[in-house]
């Protein structure tokens, strides 16, 4: 039989892949685990969990026909059919057969409503079909059951919520973004998503307030000032934009020589100087 540690690794592989947080180590070990599974199946060919594990790894390799065949073999040997429906849906989801995936995952979710990987996979299938309201509801169900779900999944929920909401979608998506930030803390990707939503809603002052909050986190002060200048310029606040561009250059000058010489720093300096020149040109016209 396959050692318990390999069974545990396979279980984490299934859950991690479905929740969008597959660790890099799992990718490195996948081929080695597959080889060990082949050996175990040769020794115990009638174990459905071994065939299911083989199907999972073949799916992750993109070998969809083999994954389907392995899963069918697992079912024939007695694998739980609800679990098989979920796994079949995951194969179809990665295969791009979204309608088939959605139907299979909907059925699996009805039979196992608390299974987090099933809920997430179903949400992704619904989003792929552009069924935004249903997708947003599925993501909301997942968030209720697992508030600390990964930032990538939170971003998926934000996008689905905005798309589902029509004219009020941005407001709904902002509520989702703020809930995610409350649950996970100041994750830069989530802060940026909320900032972008404020800008799309035309809420310039609210966007600037969020930008100020980002300044105390992982984003460098000169980067925040450059973004502030760009927002102010687009909003037509020329003098405030000119001041922010100048402050960005001052903050950049305060960096060490090594940090000022990086490509990112040089790009920031170029953008700030171009902004100042652009505003000066506008004053002359």
């Amino acid at each position: 039989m396959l050692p318990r540690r390999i069974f545990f690794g396979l279980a984490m592989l299934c859950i991690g892949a479905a929740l969008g947080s597959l660790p890099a180590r799992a990718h490195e070990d996948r081929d080695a685990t597959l080889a060990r599974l082949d050996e175990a199946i040769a020794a115990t060919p009638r174990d459905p969990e071994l065939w299911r594990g083989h199907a999972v790894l073949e799916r992750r390799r993109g070998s969809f026909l083999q994954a389907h065949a392995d899963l069918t073999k697992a079912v024939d040997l007695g694998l739980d059919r609800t679990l098989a429906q979920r796994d079949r849906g995951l194969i179809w989801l990665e295969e791009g057969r979204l309608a088939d995936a959605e139907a299979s995952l909907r059925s699996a979710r009805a039979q196992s409503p608390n299974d987090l990987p099933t809920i997430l996979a179903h949400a992704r299938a619904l989003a792929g079909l552009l069924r935004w309201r249903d997708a947003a509801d599925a993501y909301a169900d997942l968030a209720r059951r697992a508030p600390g779900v990964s930032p990538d999944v939170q971003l998926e929920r934000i996008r689905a919520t905005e798309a589902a909401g029509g004219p009020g979608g941005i407001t709904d998506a902002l509520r989702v973004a703020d809930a995610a930030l409350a649950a996970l803390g100041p994750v830069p990707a989530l802060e940026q998503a909320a900032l972008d939503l404020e800008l799309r809603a035309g809420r310039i002052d609210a966007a600037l307030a969020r930008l100020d909050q980002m300044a105390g986190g992982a984003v460098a002060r000169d980067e925040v000032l450059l973004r502030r200048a760009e927002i102010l310029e687009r909003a037509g606040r020329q003098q405030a934009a000119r001041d922010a561009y100048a402050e960005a250059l001052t903050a950049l000058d305060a960096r060490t020589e090594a940090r000022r010489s990086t490509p990112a720093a040089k790009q920031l300096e170029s953008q700030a100087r171009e902004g100042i020149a652009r505003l000066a040109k506008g004053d002359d016209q």
Side-chain angles (χ1 to χ4, degrees), residues 117-175:
T118 302
I119 299 170
L120 175 57
H122 190 218
R124 286 173 169 167
L126 290 164
L129 291 167
L130 306 185
R131 291 173 52 182
W132 295 116
R133 171 45 55 199
D134 292 334
D137 289 345
Y139 280 115
D141 185 22
L142 179 68
R144 281 192 295 272
R145 299 173 191 275
V149 74
S150 74
D152 285 345
V153 174
Q154 300 281 10
L155 290 170
E156 291 175 30
R157 184 187 176 199
I158 291 167
R159 286 191 288 268
T161 302
E162 182 183 4
I170 289 180
T171 300
D172 293 340
L174 274 167
R175 281 197 290 268

Side-chain angles (χ1 to χ4, degrees), residues 100-123:
D100 290 331
E102 190 280 323
S104 186
L105 292 163
R106 175 170 18 99
S107 178
R109 187 176 166 194
Q111 296 174 66
S112 186
N114 297 318
D115 185 71
L116 301 183
T118 302
I119 299 170
L120 175 57
H122 190 218

Side-chain angles (χ1 to χ4, degrees), residues 172-246:
D172 293 340
L174 274 167
R175 281 197 290 268
V176 169
D178 283 332
L181 286 165
L184 298 179
V187 178
L190 293 174
E191 290 180 319
Q192 184 62 55
L195 175 62
D196 290 342
L197 287 166
E198 300 281 22
L199 289 173
R200 289 205 294 279
R203 297 170 51 176
I204 302 302
D205 290 331
L208 293 173
R210 288 186 184 271
L211 196 57
D212 289 340
Q213 291 176 347
M214 293 169 67
V219 184
R221 175 171 168 75
D222 45 24
E223 294 175 23
V224 170
L225 287 167
L226 176 64
R227 188 71 195 276
R228 167 179 282 275
E230 291 170 341
I231 292 170
L232 289 167
E233 183 181 357
R234 286 200 298 270
R237 304 181 189 180
Q238 313 301 59
Q239 185 56 53
R242 187 180 293 106
D243 292 344
Y245 279 126

Side-chain angles (χ1 to χ4, degrees), residues 278-285:
R278 192 165 51 245
L279 289 168
K281 184 177 180 181
D283 290 340
D284 293 340
Q285 291 178 347

